[in-house]
């Protein structure tokens, strides 16, 4: 995707959770204040347990995933704002994908909890890892329900 490299980049992790939707809203507002461009990043990784192969299909249709991401962004932001957001879908450990995507960014924005984990945990594993290892400032956005 063509991006204006003169604008500050605001990278936001998106996983379809309410927390990530709040992070997207925050990222868009912040980008508006600093004249930045928002890049929404979704990543997936099929976990492997033990010595056996995974019991799930490892094939992910990236185009279908990108389309679902676009639809969710439109629902969360409205069509006009969603059209301004650059999207990236990548295979890999979500924290590592976000850390690489955020290199040179103004800020990395994530929700405090994603799709996995336990409801009482204050921070998810991805938000903890990026907060500890990002080369740029990290904003962790909480939802109303947490």
């Amino acid at each position: 995707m063509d991006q204006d490299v003169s604008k500050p980049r605001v990278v936001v992790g998106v996983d379809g959770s309410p927390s990530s939707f709040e992070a997207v809203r925050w990222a868009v507002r912040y980008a508006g204040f600093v004249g930045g461009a928002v890049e929404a990043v979704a990543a997936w990784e099929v976990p492997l347990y033990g010595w056996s192969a995974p019991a799930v299909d490892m094939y992910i249709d990236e185009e279908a995933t990108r389309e679902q991401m676009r639809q969710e962004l439109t629902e969360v932001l409205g069509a006009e704002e969603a059209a301004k957001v650059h999207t990236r879908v990548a295979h890999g450990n979500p924290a590592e994908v976000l850390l690489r995507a955020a290199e040179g960014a103004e800020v990395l924005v994530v929700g405090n909890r994603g799709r996995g984990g336990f409801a009482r945990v204050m921070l998810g594993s991805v938000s903890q890892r990026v907060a500890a290892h990002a080369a740029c400032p990290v904003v962790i956005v909480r939802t109303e329900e947490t």
Side-chain angles (χ1 to χ4, degrees), residues 8-29:
R9 274 188 324 119
V10 178
V11 176
V12 59
V14 179
D15 66 3
S17 68
S19 184
S20 77
F21 294 153
E22 286 299 320
V24 168
R25 289 182 191 101
W26 193 97
V28 168
R29 282 192 308 271

mmCIF file of all heavy atoms in Angstrom, residues 8-29:
data_model
loop_
_atom_site.group_PDB
_atom_site.id
_atom_site.type_symbol
_atom_site.label_atom_id
_atom_site.label_comp_id
_atom_site.label_asym_id
_atom_site.label_seq_id
_atom_site.Cartn_x
_atom_site.Cartn_y
_atom_site.Cartn_z
ATOM 1 N N PRO A 8 3.293 11.031 10.438
ATOM 2 C CA PRO A 8 3.554 10.092 11.526
ATOM 3 C C PRO A 8 2.670 8.855 11.368
ATOM 4 O O PRO A 8 1.495 8.972 11.028
ATOM 5 C CB PRO A 8 3.157 10.873 12.786
ATOM 6 C CG PRO A 8 3.080 12.300 12.380
ATOM 7 C CD PRO A 8 2.784 12.310 10.906
ATOM 8 N N ARG A 9 3.256 7.672 11.584
ATOM 9 C CA ARG A 9 2.486 6.432 11.496
ATOM 10 C C ARG A 9 1.969 6.050 12.871
ATOM 11 O O ARG A 9 2.707 6.022 13.845
ATOM 12 C CB ARG A 9 3.357 5.278 10.983
ATOM 13 C CG ARG A 9 3.435 5.194 9.508
ATOM 14 C CD ARG A 9 4.133 3.935 9.001
ATOM 15 N NE ARG A 9 5.236 3.480 9.822
ATOM 16 C CZ ARG A 9 5.280 2.286 10.430
ATOM 17 N NH1 ARG A 9 4.308 1.428 10.298
ATOM 18 N NH2 ARG A 9 6.333 1.949 11.143
ATOM 19 N N VAL A 10 0.693 5.725 12.918
ATOM 20 C CA VAL A 10 0.053 5.234 14.129
ATOM 21 C C VAL A 10 -0.350 3.795 13.831
ATOM 22 O O VAL A 10 -1.234 3.552 13.015
ATOM 23 C CB VAL A 10 -1.180 6.088 14.501
ATOM 24 C CG1 VAL A 10 -1.863 5.534 15.738
ATOM 25 C CG2 VAL A 10 -0.776 7.553 14.698
ATOM 26 N N VAL A 11 0.336 2.852 14.461
ATOM 27 C CA VAL A 11 0.077 1.433 14.223
ATOM 28 C C VAL A 11 -0.847 0.934 15.318
ATOM 29 O O VAL A 11 -0.642 1.212 16.496
ATOM 30 C CB VAL A 11 1.399 0.629 14.222
ATOM 31 C CG1 VAL A 11 1.126 -0.866 14.065
ATOM 32 C CG2 VAL A 11 2.318 1.132 13.112
ATOM 33 N N VAL A 12 -1.877 0.176 14.915
ATOM 34 C CA VAL A 12 -2.844 -0.345 15.887
ATOM 35 C C VAL A 12 -3.086 -1.823 15.617
ATOM 36 O O VAL A 12 -3.270 -2.229 14.475
ATOM 37 C CB VAL A 12 -4.162 0.469 15.875
ATOM 38 C CG1 VAL A 12 -4.825 0.450 14.515
ATOM 39 C CG2 VAL A 12 -5.118 -0.027 16.944
ATOM 40 N N GLY A 13 -3.057 -2.610 16.685
ATOM 41 C CA GLY A 13 -3.333 -4.032 16.578
ATOM 42 C C GLY A 13 -4.830 -4.285 16.597
ATOM 43 O O GLY A 13 -5.552 -3.740 17.430
ATOM 44 N N VAL A 14 -5.287 -5.109 15.653
ATOM 45 C CA VAL A 14 -6.710 -5.412 15.539
ATOM 46 C C VAL A 14 -6.886 -6.923 15.541
ATOM 47 O O VAL A 14 -6.214 -7.629 14.795
ATOM 48 C CB VAL A 14 -7.294 -4.827 14.231
ATOM 49 C CG1 VAL A 14 -8.756 -5.160 14.087
ATOM 50 C CG2 VAL A 14 -7.067 -3.326 14.174
ATOM 51 N N ASP A 15 -7.788 -7.413 16.400
ATOM 52 C CA ASP A 15 -8.062 -8.855 16.426
ATOM 53 C C ASP A 15 -9.552 -9.166 16.481
ATOM 54 O O ASP A 15 -9.957 -10.303 16.698
ATOM 55 C CB ASP A 15 -7.343 -9.531 17.586
ATOM 56 C CG ASP A 15 -7.845 -9.097 18.951
ATOM 57 O OD1 ASP A 15 -8.803 -8.298 19.023
ATOM 58 O OD2 ASP A 15 -7.285 -9.556 19.955
ATOM 59 N N GLY A 16 -10.392 -8.161 16.307
ATOM 60 C CA GLY A 16 -11.838 -8.387 16.328
ATOM 61 C C GLY A 16 -12.451 -8.326 17.713
ATOM 62 O O GLY A 16 -13.657 -8.470 17.858
ATOM 63 N N SER A 17 -11.653 -8.074 18.734
ATOM 64 C CA SER A 17 -12.173 -8.001 20.100
ATOM 65 C C SER A 17 -12.660 -6.588 20.408
ATOM 66 O O SER A 17 -12.224 -5.620 19.781
ATOM 67 C CB SER A 17 -11.080 -8.386 21.101
ATOM 68 O OG SER A 17 -10.054 -7.400 21.115
ATOM 69 N N PRO A 18 -13.555 -6.442 21.387
ATOM 70 C CA PRO A 18 -13.997 -5.101 21.784
ATOM 71 C C PRO A 18 -12.828 -4.200 22.190
ATOM 72 O O PRO A 18 -12.818 -3.014 21.896
ATOM 73 C CB PRO A 18 -14.929 -5.364 22.969
ATOM 74 C CG PRO A 18 -15.441 -6.757 22.754
ATOM 75 C CD PRO A 18 -14.292 -7.494 22.115
ATOM 76 N N SER A 19 -11.838 -4.775 22.836
ATOM 77 C CA SER A 19 -10.670 -4.011 23.254
ATOM 78 C C SER A 19 -9.901 -3.462 22.053
ATOM 79 O O SER A 19 -9.453 -2.310 22.055
ATOM 80 C CB SER A 19 -9.764 -4.908 24.107
ATOM 81 O OG SER A 19 -8.670 -4.207 24.599
ATOM 82 N N SER A 20 -9.769 -4.271 21.010
ATOM 83 C CA SER A 20 -9.047 -3.785 19.831
ATOM 84 C C SER A 20 -9.858 -2.725 19.087
ATOM 85 O O SER A 20 -9.289 -1.809 18.497
ATOM 86 C CB SER A 20 -8.660 -4.935 18.898
ATOM 87 O OG SER A 20 -9.735 -5.403 18.136
ATOM 88 N N PHE A 21 -11.187 -2.822 19.130
ATOM 89 C CA PHE A 21 -12.004 -1.790 18.502
ATOM 90 C C PHE A 21 -11.847 -0.449 19.218
ATOM 91 O O PHE A 21 -11.810 0.604 18.587
ATOM 92 C CB PHE A 21 -13.474 -2.204 18.453
ATOM 93 C CG PHE A 21 -13.738 -3.392 17.552
ATOM 94 C CD1 PHE A 21 -14.815 -4.213 17.800
ATOM 95 C CD2 PHE A 21 -12.926 -3.674 16.470
ATOM 96 C CE1 PHE A 21 -15.078 -5.301 16.981
ATOM 97 C CE2 PHE A 21 -13.172 -4.767 15.641
ATOM 98 C CZ PHE A 21 -14.252 -5.582 15.903
ATOM 99 N N GLU A 22 -11.750 -0.477 20.543
ATOM 100 C CA GLU A 22 -11.485 0.756 21.297
ATOM 101 C C GLU A 22 -10.115 1.308 20.927
ATOM 102 O O GLU A 22 -9.931 2.524 20.811
ATOM 103 C CB GLU A 22 -11.574 0.513 22.797
ATOM 104 C CG GLU A 22 -12.979 0.343 23.320
ATOM 105 C CD GLU A 22 -13.849 1.572 23.087
ATOM 106 O OE1 GLU A 22 -13.380 2.711 23.239
ATOM 107 O OE2 GLU A 22 -15.026 1.379 22.742
ATOM 108 N N ALA A 23 -9.147 0.413 20.734
ATOM 109 C CA ALA A 23 -7.800 0.838 20.340
ATOM 110 C C ALA A 23 -7.822 1.511 18.971
ATOM 111 O O ALA A 23 -7.148 2.524 18.761
ATOM 112 C CB ALA A 23 -6.853 -0.360 20.342
ATOM 113 N N VAL A 24 -8.612 0.972 18.049
ATOM 114 C CA VAL A 24 -8.730 1.575 16.717
ATOM 115 C C VAL A 24 -9.332 2.972 16.817
ATOM 116 O O VAL A 24 -8.830 3.920 16.197
ATOM 117 C CB VAL A 24 -9.586 0.686 15.777
ATOM 118 C CG1 VAL A 24 -9.964 1.431 14.516
ATOM 119 C CG2 VAL A 24 -8.842 -0.585 15.438
ATOM 120 N N ARG A 25 -10.380 3.111 17.603
ATOM 121 C CA ARG A 25 -10.990 4.441 17.780
ATOM 122 C C ARG A 25 -9.970 5.427 18.339
ATOM 123 O O ARG A 25 -9.874 6.570 17.881
ATOM 124 C CB ARG A 25 -12.201 4.351 18.699
ATOM 125 C CG ARG A 25 -13.405 3.669 18.092
ATOM 126 C CD ARG A 25 -14.590 3.669 19.066
ATOM 127 N NE ARG A 25 -15.652 2.820 18.604
ATOM 128 C CZ ARG A 25 -15.900 1.592 19.054
ATOM 129 N NH1 ARG A 25 -15.169 1.072 20.028
ATOM 130 N NH2 ARG A 25 -16.883 0.888 18.554
ATOM 131 N N TRP A 26 -9.213 4.992 19.330
ATOM 132 C CA TRP A 26 -8.201 5.858 19.951
ATOM 133 C C TRP A 26 -7.141 6.233 18.921
ATOM 134 O O TRP A 26 -6.746 7.391 18.825
ATOM 135 C CB TRP A 26 -7.559 5.145 21.150
ATOM 136 C CG TRP A 26 -6.764 6.063 22.012
ATOM 137 C CD1 TRP A 26 -7.183 6.659 23.158
ATOM 138 C CD2 TRP A 26 -5.419 6.504 21.793
ATOM 139 N NE1 TRP A 26 -6.170 7.447 23.669
ATOM 140 C CE2 TRP A 26 -5.081 7.367 22.844
ATOM 141 C CE3 TRP A 26 -4.472 6.260 20.806
ATOM 142 C CZ2 TRP A 26 -3.835 7.978 22.943
ATOM 143 C CZ3 TRP A 26 -3.221 6.869 20.888
ATOM 144 C CH2 TRP A 26 -2.927 7.721 21.959
ATOM 145 N N ALA A 27 -6.685 5.257 18.146
ATOM 146 C CA ALA A 27 -5.636 5.496 17.150
ATOM 147 C C ALA A 27 -6.082 6.509 16.103
ATOM 148 O O ALA A 27 -5.320 7.396 15.713
ATOM 149 C CB ALA A 27 -5.241 4.176 16.484
ATOM 150 N N VAL A 28 -7.321 6.400 15.658
ATOM 151 C CA VAL A 28 -7.840 7.334 14.648
ATOM 152 C C VAL A 28 -7.930 8.747 15.228
ATOM 153 O O VAL A 28 -7.559 9.722 14.567
ATOM 154 C CB VAL A 28 -9.197 6.847 14.101
ATOM 155 C CG1 VAL A 28 -9.897 7.924 13.293
ATOM 156 C CG2 VAL A 28 -9.001 5.579 13.266
ATOM 157 N N ARG A 29 -8.413 8.862 16.464
ATOM 158 C CA ARG A 29 -8.480 10.194 17.101
ATOM 159 C C ARG A 29 -7.075 10.786 17.241
ATOM 160 O O ARG A 29 -6.848 11.958 16.915
ATOM 161 C CB ARG A 29 -9.152 10.109 18.465
ATOM 162 C CG ARG A 29 -10.658 10.017 18.409
ATOM 163 C CD ARG A 29 -11.316 10.226 19.771
ATOM 164 N NE ARG A 29 -10.781 9.373 20.811
ATOM 165 C CZ ARG A 29 -11.235 8.152 21.114
ATOM 166 N NH1 ARG A 29 -12.235 7.635 20.440
ATOM 167 N NH2 ARG A 29 -10.685 7.460 22.088
#
